[in-house]
Amino acid sequence: MSIKVTGLTYVYMKGTPFEKIALDNIDLSIETGEFVGIIGHTGSGKSTLVQHFNGLLKPTSGSVYINGEKLEGKRARELKRQVGIVFQYPEHQLFEETVYKDIAFGLIKRGEEENEIDKKVRKTVRMVGLSEDILDKSPFELSGGQKRRVAMAGILVLEPSILVLDEPAAGLDPRGRDEIFELISNLHKSNKMTVVLVSHSMEDVAKYVERVVVMNKGRIEMCGPVRSVFNKIDELERIGLAAPQITYLMKRLKEKIPEINDNILTVGEA
Ligand code: ADP
């Protein structure tokens, strides 16, 4: 399924002295089956943007469309169901006494039938790379990486067509990070899911996504295939996405894409 936003503006605390324009007239289309990364500094509007994708925030002005249908009115509920959002540190939301109950929570709330729930929970726990043995455990007995997977399973079990992940690897060690990104990448490939990855790590974005959206001060500063965006070093520097980081990233990218602009490799290495 696709997502489209047109003229999207969002103002926090509108009409107060603390008013803050978090999104300023954004236009963006994400096609069915795409894997898109959204990068930008803290405070650039990434989280505010993705919270519009399933109606958690309502535009101050502008519109959101899921698969071409406007996210409002009678159809809104059904459309919202198609979008699963995994927020930062999703394991903080685990609260049930067993992993099983935590994963099943959303299905129970939807009133699904017990057998169906059981099938889906077992399928999803395997999908996130865990064994069924874990289902009887308390979420609090698990490692950080396992908890994160369980929390993701709680969203995936609802079978969204679009998966949005806000800093899915935050706080994990390097191995945990790689594993989570591999998992997300596989979900995208094998389930043909539309995936939106929000991250401030350009490296992670470059490694996994197909297209990147760069946000700055509530606007989309750049948007395009990874290679073309990361080649525009001057623009990235202008909005303060650090040169040493880009240099490092380019080295890694060059291993994958030999024809990339060589001059970039000298930036930040003085
Ligand atoms: P990012 O996800 O890129 O870090 P956010 O979307 O969280 O950015 O924030 C965009 C802007 O909106 C920032 O200036 C932030 O301070 C402000 N903001 C975010 N959430 C709130 C809120 N609940 N109330 C007021 N301002 C907020």
Side-chain angles (χ1 to χ4, degrees):
M1 284 201 169
S2 62
I3 309 171
K4 185 165 124 183
V5 305
T6 55
L8 179 60
T9 294
Y10 188 79
V11 185
Y12 284 105
M13 294 185 282
K14 194 170 165 51
T16 76
F18 307 104
E19 187 168 293
K20 168 84 203 169
I21 302 173
L23 297 177
D24 185 4
N25 200 17
I26 300 255
D27 293 316
L28 176 67
S29 287
I30 296 171
E31 303 306 327
T32 303
E34 248 198 310
F35 192 170
V36 172
I38 302 182
I39 64 168
H41 280 301
T42 304
S44 58
K46 305 182 297 294
S47 300
T48 305
L49 174 61
V50 300
Q51 286 181 70
H52 282 83
F53 295 169
N54 75 345
L56 279 173
L57 290 176
K58 291 215 164 24
T60 304
S61 60
S63 308
V64 179
Y65 301 85
I66 302 298
N67 232 22
E69 285 189 79
K70 199 163 174 177
L71 191 58
E72 64 175 23
K74 278 194 194 138
R75 292 278 299 146
R77 204 180 132 111
E78 180 50 34
L79 293 172
K80 285 178 194 175
R81 276 188 173 205
Q82 304 298 331
V83 186
I85 304 193
V86 179
F87 287 105
Q88 284 187 44
Y89 296 98
E91 59 276 16
H92 293 171
Q93 318 284 323
L94 299 175
F95 67 98
E96 293 281 5
E97 59 214 82
T98 65
V99 168
Y100 187 101
K101 286 188 183 171
D102 254 313
I103 298 178
F105 181 77
L107 295 173
I108 295 169
K109 228 170 88 187
R110 276 188 187 173
E112 291 207 12
E113 198 250 321
E114 215 172 296
N115 268 346
E116 206 47 40
I117 292 178
D118 193 65
K119 260 194 253 161
K120 288 185 183 173
V121 168
R122 289 176 194 283
K123 183 178 134 202
T124 312
V125 81
R126 289 195 304 270
M127 202 191 217
V128 297
L130 296 171
S131 95
E132 288 188 34
D133 305 345
I134 215 167
L135 291 172
D136 296 327
K137 291 195 176 166
S138 156
F140 304 101
E141 290 173 50
L142 310 181
S143 73
Q146 287 173 324
K147 277 190 215 168
R148 179 99 18 125
R149 281 161 193 261
V150 167
M152 281 175 65
I155 301 290
L156 289 167
V157 80
L158 301 170
E159 300 172 322
S161 310
I162 299 169
L163 183 64
V164 181
L165 304 121
D166 194 350
E167 302 281 2
L172 298 180
D173 61 22
R175 203 175 124 216
R177 293 179 71 82
D178 286 346
E179 285 175 2
I180 283 289
F181 284 120
E182 287 301 328
L183 166 64
I184 296 164
S185 202
N186 286 338
L187 286 171
H188 165 65
K189 282 185 206 139
S190 49
N191 297 34
K192 307 247 181 309
M193 261 183 157
T194 308
V195 180
V196 181
L197 171 66
V198 174
S199 177
H200 65 266
S201 162
M202 298 209 287
E203 191 197 341
D204 295 335
V205 166
K207 213 160 138 192
Y208 295 100
V209 311
E210 296 156 350
R211 188 157 67 98
V212 53
V213 175
V214 182
M215 292 198 62
N216 187 36
K217 298 183 180 155
R219 296 188 177 181
I220 292 182
E221 194 82 32
M222 283 188 258
C223 179
V226 170
R227 182 194 317 205
S228 74
V229 166
F230 288 133
N231 249 335
K232 291 185 185 131
I233 192 114
D234 293 344
E235 282 181 53
L236 287 168
E237 278 198 301
R238 182 175 55 74
I239 62 172
L241 291 167
Q245 200 187 350
I246 297 172
T247 308
Y248 170 68
L249 168 78
M250 281 303 173
K251 278 189 175 155
R252 300 279 303 259
L253 259 185
K254 198 160 164 52
E255 292 161 17
K256 272 174 43 182
I257 316 167
E259 70 271 29
I260 210 149
N261 184 354
D262 260 330
N263 298 332
I264 286 163
L265 297 180
T266 60
V267 176
E269 280 188 327

